[in-house]
Amino acid sequence: MFAIVQTGDPILRKKAKEVPEKEIKGSKIVAILERMKKALDLEEDGVAIAAPQIGVSLRIFLVSERTFDLPEDVSERRKQKKDRSKKYGHLVFINPVITKTSKEKALLEEGCLSVRYKYGKIERATKSTVTAFDEHGKKFTRGASGLMAQIFQHETDHLNGVLFTDKATNVQDIPPKESIKDV
Ligand code: ZN
Protein backbone atom coordinates (compact mmCIF):
# COMPACT_ATOMS: atom_id res chain seq x y z
CA MET A 1 0.00 0.00 0.00
CA PHE A 2 2.79 2.41 0.89
CA ALA A 3 5.47 0.65 -1.11
CA ILE A 4 8.82 2.37 -1.09
CA VAL A 5 10.22 3.34 -4.50
CA GLN A 6 13.01 0.99 -5.53
CA THR A 7 16.26 1.65 -7.36
CA GLY A 8 15.76 1.92 -11.11
CA ASP A 9 12.94 4.45 -10.68
CA PRO A 10 14.18 7.78 -12.14
CA ILE A 11 12.70 9.79 -9.26
CA LEU A 12 15.49 8.50 -7.01
CA ARG A 13 18.01 10.10 -9.40
CA LYS A 14 16.42 13.54 -9.55
CA LYS A 15 17.63 16.48 -7.52
CA ALA A 16 14.64 17.16 -5.28
CA LYS A 17 13.12 20.66 -5.12
CA GLU A 18 12.97 22.89 -2.07
CA VAL A 19 9.64 23.26 -0.30
CA PRO A 20 8.53 26.92 -0.52
CA GLU A 21 8.68 28.20 3.07
CA LYS A 22 5.06 29.38 3.06
CA GLU A 23 3.86 25.90 2.07
CA ILE A 24 5.52 24.04 4.94
CA LYS A 25 2.43 24.03 7.16
CA GLY A 26 0.04 23.58 4.25
CA SER A 27 -2.15 20.52 3.75
CA LYS A 28 -0.02 19.20 0.87
CA ILE A 29 3.13 18.91 2.99
CA VAL A 30 1.17 17.64 6.01
CA ALA A 31 -0.19 14.82 3.81
CA ILE A 32 3.27 14.02 2.41
CA LEU A 33 4.74 13.82 5.94
CA GLU A 34 1.91 11.50 6.96
CA ARG A 35 2.58 9.20 3.99
CA MET A 36 6.31 9.19 4.76
CA LYS A 37 5.68 8.26 8.41
CA LYS A 38 3.36 5.43 7.42
CA ALA A 39 5.74 4.08 4.79
CA LEU A 40 8.63 4.13 7.24
CA ASP A 41 6.66 2.58 10.08
CA LEU A 42 5.72 -0.39 7.90
CA GLU A 43 9.38 -1.27 7.43
CA GLU A 44 10.92 -3.65 9.91
CA ASP A 45 14.37 -2.11 9.76
CA GLY A 46 13.90 1.44 8.52
CA VAL A 47 15.19 4.37 10.56
CA ALA A 48 14.72 7.23 8.12
CA ILE A 49 13.08 8.08 4.82
CA ALA A 50 13.41 10.79 2.18
CA ALA A 51 10.44 12.11 0.19
CA PRO A 52 11.69 10.77 -3.20
CA GLN A 53 11.39 7.29 -1.68
CA ILE A 54 7.60 7.70 -1.70
CA GLY A 55 7.68 9.26 -5.16
CA VAL A 56 7.76 12.92 -4.11
CA SER A 57 10.66 14.97 -5.42
CA LEU A 58 10.84 17.47 -2.55
CA ARG A 59 13.63 18.20 -0.06
CA ILE A 60 12.20 16.48 3.01
CA PHE A 61 13.42 13.62 5.14
CA LEU A 62 12.35 12.24 8.45
CA VAL A 63 14.01 10.12 11.08
CA SER A 64 12.23 7.76 13.45
CA GLU A 65 12.97 8.41 17.11
CA ARG A 66 13.49 4.64 17.26
CA THR A 67 16.98 5.53 16.07
CA PHE A 68 17.85 6.53 19.65
CA ASP A 69 17.09 2.99 20.85
CA LEU A 70 19.15 1.17 18.25
CA PRO A 71 22.70 -0.16 18.24
CA GLU A 72 25.13 1.87 16.14
CA ASP A 73 26.15 -1.09 14.03
CA VAL A 74 23.88 -2.05 11.14
CA SER A 75 24.52 -5.79 11.46
CA GLU A 76 23.45 -5.55 15.11
CA ARG A 77 20.45 -3.48 14.03
CA ARG A 78 19.37 -6.13 11.56
CA LYS A 79 19.16 -8.66 14.39
CA GLN A 80 16.98 -6.45 16.51
CA LYS A 81 13.29 -7.11 16.00
CA LYS A 82 11.00 -4.14 15.94
CA ASP A 83 8.97 -3.79 19.08
CA ARG A 84 5.61 -2.95 17.57
CA SER A 85 4.06 -2.15 20.91
CA LYS A 86 6.23 0.96 21.08
CA LYS A 87 5.15 4.09 19.26
CA TYR A 88 7.92 6.37 18.16
CA GLY A 89 7.72 9.95 16.99
CA HIS A 90 9.60 11.32 14.02
CA LEU A 91 12.07 14.14 13.55
CA VAL A 92 11.17 16.16 10.46
CA PHE A 93 13.76 17.89 8.27
CA ILE A 94 12.44 20.17 5.52
CA ASN A 95 14.92 21.83 3.14
CA PRO A 96 17.83 20.35 5.09
CA VAL A 97 21.34 21.61 4.49
CA ILE A 98 24.41 19.95 5.94
CA THR A 99 26.34 22.89 7.31
CA LYS A 100 29.22 21.03 8.91
CA THR A 101 30.86 17.63 8.70
CA SER A 102 33.79 16.38 10.72
CA LYS A 103 37.14 15.80 9.07
CA GLU A 104 37.15 12.47 10.84
CA LYS A 105 35.59 9.79 8.70
CA ALA A 106 34.67 6.17 9.34
CA LEU A 107 33.97 3.23 7.08
CA LEU A 108 30.44 2.24 8.06
CA GLU A 109 28.03 -0.43 6.97
CA GLU A 110 24.92 0.93 5.34
CA GLY A 111 21.70 -0.18 3.68
CA CYS A 112 18.70 1.56 2.11
CA LEU A 113 14.95 0.98 1.92
CA SER A 114 15.17 1.72 -1.82
CA VAL A 115 18.02 -0.73 -2.50
CA ARG A 116 16.49 -3.66 -0.72
CA TYR A 117 18.66 -6.06 1.16
CA LYS A 118 21.93 -4.75 -0.17
CA TYR A 119 24.50 -3.64 2.36
CA GLY A 120 27.91 -2.17 1.78
CA LYS A 121 30.69 -0.20 3.37
CA ILE A 122 30.71 3.53 2.90
CA GLU A 123 32.88 6.34 4.16
CA ARG A 124 30.93 8.86 6.20
CA ALA A 125 31.90 11.77 8.40
CA THR A 126 31.55 10.72 12.03
CA LYS A 127 29.81 14.00 12.93
CA SER A 128 27.54 16.27 10.96
CA THR A 129 25.29 19.26 11.49
CA VAL A 130 22.07 19.98 9.63
CA THR A 131 20.02 23.15 9.41
CA ALA A 132 16.41 22.61 8.35
CA PHE A 133 12.81 23.59 8.98
CA ASP A 134 10.58 21.45 11.16
CA GLU A 135 6.93 20.67 10.36
CA HIS A 136 5.84 23.88 12.10
CA GLY A 137 8.02 25.98 9.82
CA LYS A 138 10.58 26.67 12.52
CA LYS A 139 14.21 26.73 11.46
CA PHE A 140 16.57 24.68 13.62
CA THR A 141 20.08 23.31 13.66
CA ARG A 142 20.93 19.86 14.91
CA GLY A 143 24.36 18.36 15.36
CA ALA A 144 24.84 14.62 15.59
CA SER A 145 27.42 11.90 15.76
CA GLY A 146 27.32 8.18 15.07
CA LEU A 147 24.21 6.71 13.49
CA MET A 148 22.31 10.01 13.36
CA ALA A 149 25.22 11.72 11.57
CA GLN A 150 25.30 8.85 9.09
CA ILE A 151 21.54 9.22 8.51
CA PHE A 152 21.91 12.97 7.83
CA GLN A 153 24.43 12.20 5.09
CA HIS A 154 22.48 9.27 3.61
CA GLU A 155 19.19 11.19 3.46
CA THR A 156 20.75 14.36 2.06
CA ASP A 157 22.29 12.20 -0.66
CA HIS A 158 18.78 10.96 -1.53
CA LEU A 159 17.64 14.56 -2.05
CA ASN A 160 20.51 15.01 -4.50
CA GLY A 161 19.73 11.85 -6.47
CA VAL A 162 22.56 9.84 -4.93
CA LEU A 163 22.20 6.28 -3.63
CA PHE A 164 24.62 4.74 -1.17
CA THR A 165 25.51 2.03 -3.70
CA ASP A 166 27.09 4.75 -5.90
CA LYS A 167 29.86 5.13 -3.34
CA ALA A 168 29.81 1.93 -1.30
CA THR A 169 32.26 -0.90 -1.58
CA ASN A 170 31.85 -4.57 -0.82
CA VAL A 171 28.10 -4.44 -1.51
CA GLN A 172 26.43 -7.70 -0.56
CA ASP A 173 22.95 -9.12 -0.70
CA ILE A 174 21.73 -9.97 2.78
CA PRO A 175 18.06 -10.92 2.53
CA PRO A 176 16.13 -11.19 5.78
CA LYS A 177 16.32 -14.71 7.19
CA GLU A 178 12.61 -14.92 7.60
CA SER A 179 10.26 -12.89 5.57
CA ILE A 180 8.41 -10.48 7.81
CA LYS A 181 5.29 -9.34 6.09
CA ASP A 182 2.86 -6.97 7.74
CA VAL A 183 1.07 -5.83 4.61
ZN1 ZN B 1 18.10 5.28 1.58
Side-chain angles (χ1 to χ4, degrees), residues 20-69:
E21 222 179 300
K22 59 179 191 326
E23 287 180 20
I24 290 176
K25 289 189 284 180
S27 57
K28 183 183 149 194
I29 300 302
V30 169
I32 289 168
L33 290 173
E34 227 21 70
R35 277 179 58 207
M36 289 172 73
K37 287 173 190 173
K38 282 188 178 139
L40 180 60
D41 287 345
L42 286 174
E43 297 297 323
E44 182 64 25
D45 55 351
V47 286
I49 188 168
Q53 294 182 280
I54 60 153
V56 174
S57 195
L58 287 174
R59 303 190 79 78
I60 305 172
F61 69 78
L62 52 90
V63 182
S64 168
E65 287 178 348
R66 180 170 178 249
T67 303
F68 301 119
D69 282 356

Side-chain angles (χ1 to χ4, degrees), residues 48 50 53 111-115 154-155 158 163-164:
Q53 294 182 280
C112 178
L113 296 174
S114 292
V115 192
H154 179 106
E155 300 307 321
H158 269 303
L163 295 174
F164 86 100

Side-chain angles (χ1 to χ4, degrees), residues 19 21 23-25 29 33 60-61 90-96 131-141:
V19 178
E21 222 179 300
E23 287 180 20
I24 290 176
K25 289 189 284 180
I29 300 302
L33 290 173
I60 305 172
F61 69 78
H90 301 82
L91 308 173
V92 173
F93 298 80
I94 297 169
N95 299 341
T131 297
F133 291 89
D134 67 14
E135 66 270 49
H136 310 293
K138 198 168 166 282
K139 201 170 191 173
F140 67 97
T141 296

Side-chain angles (χ1 to χ4, degrees), residues 14 28 30 44 52 81 142 157 159 171 174 177 181:
K14 272 174 76 173
K28 183 183 149 194
V30 169
E44 182 64 25
K81 278 220 158 219
R142 187 168 186 133
D157 278 351
L159 305 182
V171 177
I174 310 177
K177 283 200 180 64
K181 281 271 170 249

